[in-house]
Every structure is written in structure tokens, then in C-alpha cells.
Amino acid sequence: MDVDPQLLLLRRQYLQLFEPDFLAWPSPKLLKNVDAQKWLHRHLFDTNRNPHLPPESYQLRVLKQLTSKMGKGKANLDSDGVLGELAACLTSLIAKKVSSEIKVFQENAYVTFTCIPEKRNDYEDTSEPTLTLLEKRQLVSGSQITGFRTWEGSLHLGSYLLTEAGSHFVNGKNILELGTGTGFNAILAGKHLHANHVTATDGDGGVIEALRENLTLNKIDDQQQVRARTLLWGQDLKGTWVEDGCRAHPYDIVLGADITYEKSAISALVLTLQSLFDMRPKLQVIISGVVRNAETFQTFRDQCASHHFVVEDIQFEAKPMRQQKSLFYAAAVPLKLLSITRP
């Protein structure tokens, strides 16, 4: 059957581990449709067809709400042949006595992001381009180990790169990413946005090892498409692998998301940008971030100005969450995109 957009939206949110209480549930009429029910089981709960589903505790929470919205209790499900597959799945998850929420919250989880270009013609292209990451969902913003999950600033940057204007920054370009974390934007650029080459860097060796796993998960060749390397900010880059990498793949664009929240690291970050501009004077830097602390964000602007960088705001507003069709993230917090160049 032609898949109803309500079902596709639910699957996109579900695979991104959207909070179940805020999922965009299809209409009751659609949920009672036999084909829709079969589709939901096949694409949201069937482990044979979907090797990277959300944690079972999350599946159980969603499935309980789903069956409730269908107007079916467990007893009715068991006796209803139409909903037999969903009933079996629900029974299985309950029987497993899935781990407590606290335990699951501390475990790694597969998170799948749907990456739909803004100008896609749905009449010609009905594919669902995705990338899947293994993340630690228990991390909190502002901690010292934030690189193991994807934050709002990264999703905001990714949403911009999926627009017609943003795609020009990566299509056919050589990219260096600072503070890559899970590698969301590096993988997006290399897998879906036709970047020529991406070098993804982070200062934490453990984050880089996790990134290499995510590259393998997305069938990306580490070295050719996306290269993962450790890079500490504030050091002179001359004579380092960065200079060698720049000769092999001359950087056109530097990307950075969620890297301006730590005031103590801003000076080192700006020194690294200065060193990169010395190697590539026509380089363009794009920084995305949540303005959690206005003073800290202004400190970054001020230090860029003290190095005579030209800092401009990129006008790109996040859509309210209920209007988002993919890459779901909170839009209530202040989000900024900056373009930085050197005269």
C-alpha cells in the first residue's frame, strides 16, 4: 500500500527515540486499519527486518500506548487475529521483564535519524535516507563527556545542511569537523550530502573510537569518505597530521556544533581556528550551538573579533517541533548558526 504520511512520521520519531508521550500518533481511524497495523509491526517492532531498533524498554512503552490508542487491551489483542503480531510482540516484551528504565537509560542505544532534503520531490523520491548512531542517551548537557550523544546544535546544523542553501557548503567540498562527538554531521555530509571528503575530529580518544564504530555501522570507509582523528585545540598545527591532511584534502569548510558551551575552552578553540586560517586563508567556518549561556556565547564572538575574524549570523530558524518532519529537536531554546571567515 501507499504509506500514509502519519505512519512515516511516527516511525521517524520512534527510531529517533522521541519521548513516547509526545509522539505524533496517527488518527484512531488509521490505527484501526489492518494494513496500517501490519505496517507498524513490520517497521517498528519486527527485529528480523530491523536490526537496529530502540531499546526494548522504549519499545514496550510505545507499544503499550499504541495498543491503548487502538482501543485494545491485552486480552482483546490476544483474541484478535488482525493484531496478532502486535499482541505477540507485547507479550514477549512483558515476559522478558525488560530492564528497569534506570538500567536501560545507562546503556547504549541505536538512534536512527531520517535525513530528508528540504526540497525533495516526494512524487519522484519516496526513499527515507537515514543514518544510525550508537549513543549513550543518559548524558546530560554541560557534562564533561557529552560526545557520546547527538545534541540540539548538531541537529540544527544538520537541518540547515539539508536545505538548498546549506547543501552548497558540503556538496563536493573537503570538510574538517571540530568536536564531532557521535559524528552525526560528518556522517550526514559523507553519506547523504556528497562531500568530497570529511575529516572528523574530537579531543577525546574514546569518542573517536566510538565514532569509528558509527562509521562502520553506516558502511562508511574510514579514511576515504570520513576520516576520524583526535585533535586537541590550542596547539600549533604546523608539522602535524592536520597539515598533512590539508595537503591531501585541502579544507574548504570547517564545521562545529555544540562546541562553544565551555567558556574555558573558547580561547583554545579560537587559536585552532586561527591556525586553520593560516593554512587555508579562504576557509569558511560554520558554527552551530545552543545559547545556554549568553555570556559564554558572547565571549566566543568577542575572541573571534579580537583575531579579526568576520562573524555573521546565518538566518535559519528551527521549526516548532510539531512542524518538524525529520531530525526532531527542541526549538524553544535559542539556537544560533554563525559563519566565520577571515578577511
Side-chain angles (χ1 to χ4, degrees):
M1 68 174 181
D2 292 332
V3 182
D4 191 289
Q6 295 177 71
L7 298 178
L8 291 174
L9 179 60
L10 176 61
R11 181 177 67 173
R12 294 168 192 164
Q13 292 182 339
Y14 169 82
L15 292 178
Q16 198 183 309
L17 275 64
F18 202 76
E19 175 56 40
D21 289 339
F22 300 104
L23 287 168
W25 294 102
S27 66
K29 180 180 178 181
L30 181 58
L31 290 178
K32 295 181 187 298
N33 178 275
V34 175
D35 288 332
Q37 293 163 5
K38 291 180 178 178
W39 189 94
L40 286 168
H41 174 265
R42 189 179 306 121
H43 293 279
L44 274 64
F45 303 105
D46 189 343
T47 56
N48 293 322
R49 295 174 180 268
N50 307 280
H52 302 127
L53 288 175
E56 289 182 338
S57 65
Y58 177 84
Q59 294 182 48
L60 180 58
R61 290 175 64 199
V62 172
L63 189 51
K64 283 181 176 179
Q65 291 201 34
L66 175 61
T67 54
S68 173
K69 291 180 181 298
M70 288 176 174
K72 299 284 186 178
K74 183 178 179 297
N76 290 332
L77 279 171
D78 288 339
S79 62
D80 193 332
V82 171
L83 297 174
E85 292 175 324
L86 290 173
C89 183
L90 179 60
T91 301
S92 174
L93 289 173
I94 293 174
K96 286 181 180 179
K97 297 180 180 179
V98 292
S99 303
S100 69
E101 283 298 311
I102 294 177
K103 181 179 178 181
V104 172
F105 199 53
Q106 295 173 346
E107 294 173 347
N108 290 349
Y110 289 112
V111 187
T112 297
F113 301 89
T114 308
C115 310
I116 301 176
E118 183 185 57
K119 296 295 185 181
R120 186 180 77 163
N121 187 335
D122 287 330
Y123 292 102
E124 297 177 356
D125 184 1
T126 58
S127 64
E128 294 274 307
T130 62
L131 64 86
T132 299
L133 303 175
L134 194 58
E135 299 192 359
K136 294 182 183 297
R137 302 296 289 178
Q138 82 278 14
L139 297 177
V140 290
S141 153
S143 70
Q144 297 301 307
I145 49 170
T146 56
F148 293 99
R149 67 168 293 175
T150 303
W151 301 97
E152 290 92 342
S154 292
L155 295 172
H156 189 57
L157 176 57
S159 295
Y160 176 66
L161 297 179
L162 285 163
T163 67
E164 188 173 7
S167 65
H168 293 303
F169 287 109
V170 293
N171 194 334
K173 302 295 179 60
N174 294 319
I175 297 169
L176 177 72
E177 185 178 24
L178 301 176
T180 189
T182 62
F184 172 80
N185 282 297
I187 294 172
L188 174 65
K191 184 175 182 178
H192 295 302
L193 296 178
H194 313 294
N196 183 59
H197 181 82
V198 183
T199 300
T201 70
D202 201 279
D204 188 309
V207 168
I208 290 299
E209 287 305 310
L211 170 59
R212 292 192 173 110
E213 293 180 16
N214 280 331
L215 294 177
T216 300
L217 188 60
N218 287 276
K219 297 181 172 57
I220 289 179
D221 182 0
D222 178 19
Q223 302 301 322
Q224 295 303 315
Q225 288 176 277
V226 180
R227 187 184 189 196
R229 294 296 301 264
T230 303
L231 176 63
L232 297 176
W233 300 341
Q235 300 178 348
D236 186 357
L237 299 180
K238 290 184 179 180
T240 68
W241 69 262
V242 178
E243 193 172 48
D244 295 336
C246 188
R247 281 194 289 266
H249 302 284
Y251 307 131
D252 303 298
I253 301 291
V254 170
L255 299 178
D258 296 302
I259 60 174
T260 56
Y261 64 87
E262 187 64 49
K263 193 171 185 178
S264 61
I266 285 177
S267 294
L269 170 59
V270 173
L271 285 174
T272 294
L273 295 180
Q274 177 69 60
S275 188
L276 290 168
F277 278 126
D278 289 342
M279 286 191 289
R280 297 284 291 169
K282 294 184 179 181
L283 196 66
Q284 183 160 11
V285 180
I286 301 175
I287 299 293
S288 173
V290 177
V291 185
R292 296 184 177 90
N293 184 304
E295 181 184 351
T296 301
F297 201 76
Q298 187 59 46
T299 297
F300 175 68
R301 284 181 176 272
D302 293 343
Q303 292 211 21
C304 285
S306 71
H307 284 73
H308 308 292
F309 300 162
V310 177
V311 181
E312 299 176 315
D313 287 277
I314 296 175
Q315 300 304 315
F316 179 69
E317 297 294 328
K319 293 180 180 179
M321 192 172 287
R322 285 301 177 188
Q323 296 179 20
Q324 294 170 7
K325 300 302 181 185
S326 63
L327 297 189
F328 307 97
Y329 59 101
V333 293
L335 291 155
K336 288 288 186 180
L337 274 178
L338 303 179
S339 168
I340 303 172
T341 55
R342 190 172 73 173

